[in-house]
Amino acid sequence: MAQRVTVVIPAYNEEVAVRDVIAEVREHLRQHDLEAEIVVVDDGSSDATAGSARAAGARVIQHRSNRGYGAALKTGIAAASNDLIAIIDADGTYPAARLPELFAGLEHADMVVGARTGTSVKIPTARRPAKWFLNRLANYVSNASIPDVNSGLRAFHREVVMQYFPMLPDQFSWTTTITLAMHCDKYAVSYLPIDYRQRQGESKIVPWDAGAFAILILRTAMLFRPLRVFLPLVIACFAYGLIKMSVDLLRDPNISASAILAFLSALQLLLIGMLGDAVAARLGRLSPNAAFGVQPKELTAGGEALAAPPSGDSTRSFRGEREGEITPLRRSTLRRDRLAR
């Protein structure tokens, strides 16, 4: 029996490429015995995007106005009929041939991201410095190795992503936010190197979007890892105060007001960061899904204990002691049962 999956394609003025993307998605999934529901969310296009998508056989949902890339993704994910979902852009840049591998990766991960680190990656040169900086910042905030923080080709479990809907933005930063959130909450996120093709049509991303992405990364850090933001500021204030105090004592036996102010600032920032970290940790423990991953030995489903993942393995790939490996559908059922209890 073919496995049922959903592919969500957000589209805004993409009549040039959307038909080919739909055909490519359907063909590659059919070759791997995957029964695809293809949902195209027309985000208020002024061209014939919706008509082209319907003609290609996709299920089309239309926004009455342009609400943004993230809003289109949320609409498509909420309307999806299946638990296993992939997203892909409508501009033809991402290789749909890798979708079967992304879905297969969900056997051992909560989200599989197509990282644009393959042998043929056509990212415009002007966007590469900003992309490098954002990836480095995301790696620091999440304390993880993220090769591509905002790839638009990825597969995931519907219910895992939907719990973050209230905090996910409506713009292009949707992918950056969900990547950081799942890393910070210790979900299993894996990466598959992919190629990235030349875009068909005009890009919707402008250079100053990089600043918005950086602010978004810091905002997400404040929600999940506030100490990662405050600690460098604490160190900077404390170092300045120490140097200023040393200079003051060499010149005069008194400590200047600026040195004392630097020490007090460091102390205040440290306390604020610790308070934020405590709140974030407390909220994380209250999340049923977070508890499922942190303490698998203490959880049972129908009286059957679940084994913990191998020592040192940060992923959340659980295996039943008697029934063999737990499939995504089985794991989804376990989560629903726990939430119901």
Side-chain angles (χ1 to χ4, degrees):
M1 181 178 177
Q3 188 175 28
R4 295 180 58 83
V5 299
T6 295
V7 178
V8 176
I9 306 175
Y12 176 62
N13 291 341
E14 297 288 0
E15 66 173 333
V16 175
V18 69
R19 181 191 291 261
D20 293 339
V21 171
I22 294 169
E24 186 182 2
V25 168
R26 179 176 289 110
E27 175 61 21
H28 287 292
L29 294 183
R30 185 187 61 77
Q31 291 176 3
H32 289 79
D33 201 24
L34 293 170
E35 185 176 343
E37 175 196 37
I38 300 177
V39 179
V40 173
V41 181
D42 176 19
D43 190 27
S45 298
S46 57
D47 63 5
T49 296
S52 296
R54 285 196 187 91
R59 176 187 171 195
V60 178
I61 301 172
Q62 287 183 273
H63 287 170
R64 284 180 290 185
S65 60
N66 181 234
R67 294 167 52 188
Y69 172 80
L73 285 175
K74 285 190 275 190
T75 297
I77 293 168
S81 305
N82 303 300
D83 177 62
L84 302 184
I85 297 176
I87 62 172
I88 186 171
D89 287 358
D91 56 10
T93 52
Y94 290 97
R98 309 305 297 273
L99 282 172
E101 295 173 78
L102 295 180
F103 281 120
L106 292 178
E107 286 287 333
H108 306 286
D110 295 297
M111 182 166 70
V112 184
V113 181
R116 292 166 287 182
T117 56
T119 56
S120 177
V121 177
K122 306 293 185 185
I123 295 178
T125 305
R127 285 166 50 185
R128 288 179 181 270
K131 182 175 174 56
W132 177 87
F133 171 75
L134 292 174
N135 274 345
R136 301 294 293 180
L137 183 60
N139 288 350
Y140 167 75
V141 166
S142 64
N143 197 26
S145 178
I146 303 175
D148 192 350
V149 69
N150 61 344
S151 171
L153 179 65
R154 58 185 67 204
F156 45 78
H157 295 274
R158 181 172 182 264
E159 64 178 23
V160 172
V161 168
M162 286 194 70
Q163 68 176 318
Y164 294 108
F165 265 28
M167 62 171 287
L168 291 175
D170 288 343
Q171 307 304 322
F172 283 106
S173 47
W174 191 96
T175 49
T176 302
T177 305
I178 190 63
T179 302
L180 288 174
M182 291 186 66
H183 271 290
C184 290
D185 272 350
K186 304 296 185 186
Y187 279 100
V189 181
S190 62
Y191 294 87
L192 179 72
I194 62 169
D195 293 336
Y196 187 70
R197 299 184 293 230
Q198 189 75 33
R199 193 189 196 288
Q200 300 181 39
E202 184 180 353
S203 175
K204 311 297 188 302
I205 297 179
V206 293
W208 47 86
D209 279 339
F213 283 151
I215 293 173
L216 174 100
I217 290 174
L218 293 176
R219 192 191 72 174
T220 306
M222 292 293 292
L223 291 173
F224 292 93
R225 303 280 175 83
L227 270 181
R228 303 289 287 181
V229 176
F230 282 97
L231 208 52
L233 299 176
V234 171
I235 294 173
C237 288
F238 185 79
Y240 173 80
L242 196 61
I243 294 172
K244 188 67 172 65
M245 183 182 69
S246 301
V247 173
D248 292 341
L249 291 178
L250 288 175
R251 294 178 177 176
D252 194 315
N254 294 320
I255 301 175
S256 65
S258 59
I260 295 174
L261 181 61
F263 284 129
L264 291 176
S265 298
L267 179 61
Q268 285 184 327
L269 288 170
L270 179 63
L271 293 176
I272 293 172
M274 291 176 65
L275 177 62
D277 200 61
V279 172
R282 182 64 179 168
L283 291 176
R285 291 192 188 97
L286 293 176
S287 165
N289 284 331
F292 189 88
V294 174
Q295 298 176 320
K297 284 183 178 178
E298 298 179 12
L299 301 173
T300 59
E304 181 182 3
L306 301 180
S311 177
D313 183 1
S314 63
T315 66
R316 298 178 48 201
S317 175
F318 307 115
R319 292 176 183 275
E321 291 178 332
R322 297 177 183 175
E323 298 179 357
E325 186 173 357
I326 294 180
T327 65
L329 180 60
R330 172 64 171 155
R331 182 166 53 180
S332 175
T333 303
L334 295 177
R335 283 187 177 127
R336 279 197 295 271
D337 290 345
R338 176 166 174 74
L339 289 172
R341 290 198 295 275

